[in-house]
Amino acid sequence: MTGIILFRAQPFHNGHLAQIKRAYEDICKIGSNLYIFVGSADKFGTKRNPIPIDVRLDLIKGSLADTFEYKAALNRIRIIPLNDLSDEANNTHSWGEYLYNRMCEYTGDTDFIFYYSDKPEIALSWFDSTAISHIYFRFLPRVENLCATSVRISLARLDPLDRIALETDLPPYVYSKIDELHNYIVSAR
């Protein structure tokens, strides 16, 4: 059974990092692997998806390297870019089938622990009954008052108070890149 996390990381923040740490602890207990799917890999330059996938992947890898035993975890954690199937708001079974097939393709497994932080009915709505029979859903609560939308708002303004808030909300590696991230966000359409 392989662990799966899915997020866009627009940008990667401490809430994502906390979820990865908790999922990693789980999968280590069962001797498995954790796959981090970074969604909307084919989208960037928009208000909702301002940051290109190569930058997002770097933010995740740099943050993992800075914050816990990444070298020991390297053989257990994989980071996979995942294009959208269609419109990002498509939460139909076709999206779930696409996601499940990518999970099987990249992991070589058919049974998964799917870590999520949204309402359970959202994650459950993606998959048909066949896929659901192969997925154990594990809720990971969000870090209170932290979401990528509010982080993007702070990165767009980047005034002194925003810099203080971002130092709390972002892993140190991501914080070191706030000027670059600011440029992506203010130039998004």
Side-chain angles (χ1 to χ4, degrees):
M1 188 169 275
T2 302
I4 302 289
I5 292 180
L6 170 69
F7 49 63
R8 291 179 306 118
Q10 286 281 6
F12 188 73
H13 57 66
N14 282 330
H16 297 123
L17 187 59
Q19 290 177 335
I20 291 170
K21 286 181 177 181
R22 291 206 35 219
Y24 180 73
E25 290 170 7
D26 273 5
I27 62 103
C28 284
K29 291 175 186 171
I30 62 170
S32 190
N33 297 312
L34 179 64
Y35 282 72
I36 302 165
F37 283 85
V38 184
S40 301
D42 54 335
K43 306 281 192 297
F44 72 94
T46 67
K47 294 286 183 199
R48 185 158 162 77
N49 294 295
I51 306 166
I53 188 62
D54 59 325
V55 174
R56 291 184 281 149
L57 296 175
D58 174 66
L59 296 175
I60 296 166
K61 291 173 186 174
S63 296
L64 292 178
D66 274 358
T67 55
F68 74 102
E69 301 279 333
Y70 185 60
K71 289 182 181 168
L74 193 55
N75 62 343
R76 288 233 163 121
I77 295 178
R78 306 284 187 281
I79 304 167
I80 309 291
L82 180 69
N83 289 344
D84 285 342
L85 174 64
S86 60
D87 183 292
E88 187 181 328
N90 179 358
N91 289 330
T92 63
H93 286 313
S94 59
W95 159 245
E97 181 180 357
Y98 169 76
L99 177 57
Y100 183 77
N101 288 337
R102 297 297 80 71
M103 290 160 48
C104 294
E105 174 187 343
Y106 284 105
T107 67
D109 202 348
T110 56
D111 296 310
F112 302 99
I113 305 170
F114 189 82
Y115 296 92
Y116 67 96
S117 60
D118 288 320
K119 296 175 183 172
E121 55 271 12
I122 293 173
L124 288 168
S125 73
W126 296 344
F127 302 102
D128 63 23
S129 59
T130 303
I132 285 176
S133 69
H134 292 276
I135 300 172
Y136 173 79
F137 292 89
R138 176 97 158 83
F139 178 72
L140 294 177
R142 292 175 180 249
V143 172
E144 193 172 335
N145 299 321
L146 180 58
C147 72
T149 301
S150 62
V151 170
R152 286 193 304 274
I153 291 167
S154 290
L155 282 166
R157 281 189 311 240
L158 212 53
D159 66 27
L161 290 176
D162 289 311
R163 287 180 183 273
I164 292 168
L166 290 167
E167 197 166 10
T168 302
D169 295 344
L170 301 175
Y173 184 78
V174 177
Y175 186 80
S176 74
K177 311 259 183 192
I178 62 172
D179 291 318
E180 176 186 353
L181 297 173
H182 167 78
N183 291 335
Y184 284 117
I185 290 167
V186 297
S187 65
R189 2 174 239 295

